[in-house]
Amino acid sequence: MSGAARIDRRQLVRTAAGVAAGGVLVAGTGVASASASDSSSGVLGGWWIEHTNDPPADPEPGTTVVSIGAGGIIVSNDIRPAGSVSNGVWAMDGDRFKATFWGTTDLGPDMPAGSVRVRVRGHLSGGKLVGTFTVTGYDATGAQIFTATGTFTGTRMAP
């Protein structure tokens, strides 16, 4: 694999990590609303997610903002490093949650954009969302390019 391909793959993993982190956040808020009696602590709103890839992927931390709406819809936006907007869905299983997000990513010069699928698993712990994610990258034809994993922590954003 060429050096340029490695850099492109690293960026794809970083983008996917942001997407994953957003998914975890949304699902975690579902846990909060399911267990809280105060309706103000529901799942709707914005979350700040910090995420890190597991080795051998680039372990540089990233930040994603996630917005949660009614009906299990999740929208995430990579902030650091700046990246794509991703969309997905989530579901609860007891006090645990799972989510799947899809986003696009730039694979490099003269290459069509690729896509990433992020699968998230987590729970709410002490008012924070914590969990893991798996990112799978695909080229423009839909062929799998890589898989990576990581962890995240999320906090509710203040107005």
Side-chain angles (χ1 to χ4, degrees):
M1 179 180 290
S2 72
R6 283 190 194 110
I7 291 169
D8 295 335
R9 181 182 219 185
R10 178 178 293 159
Q11 183 58 41
L12 185 59
V13 170
R14 291 173 83 185
T15 298
V19 173
V24 172
L25 176 58
V26 174
T29 53
V31 173
S33 75
S35 63
S37 58
D38 180 358
S39 63
S40 68
S41 65
V43 300
L44 303 181
W47 293 84
W48 186 262
I49 302 290
E50 296 179 1
H51 51 86
T52 304
N53 295 323
D54 294 333
D58 182 355
E60 182 179 342
T63 304
T64 300
V65 170
V66 175
S67 298
I68 302 167
I73 296 171
I74 301 166
V75 178
S76 69
N77 189 355
D78 296 337
I79 301 299
R80 277 185 235 133
S84 67
V85 172
S86 301
N87 297 283
V89 297
W90 62 273
M92 296 300 300
D93 182 11
D95 64 347
R96 313 282 299 163
F97 66 89
K98 60 184 177 179
T100 299
F101 280 74
W102 282 90
T104 60
T105 190
D106 181 16
L107 295 176
D110 303 320
M111 294 180 70
S115 61
V116 291
R117 177 187 65 203
V118 181
R119 292 187 173 171
V120 177
R121 303 290 184 265
H123 64 280
L124 190 62
S125 178
K128 297 207 181 255
L129 298 170
V130 295
T132 61
F133 60 87
T134 300
V135 177
T136 305
Y138 302 91
D139 68 14
T141 69
Q144 183 176 324
I145 300 171
F146 76 92
T147 297
T149 60
T151 58
F152 70 90
T153 300
T155 56
R156 186 177 289 277
M157 293 174 59

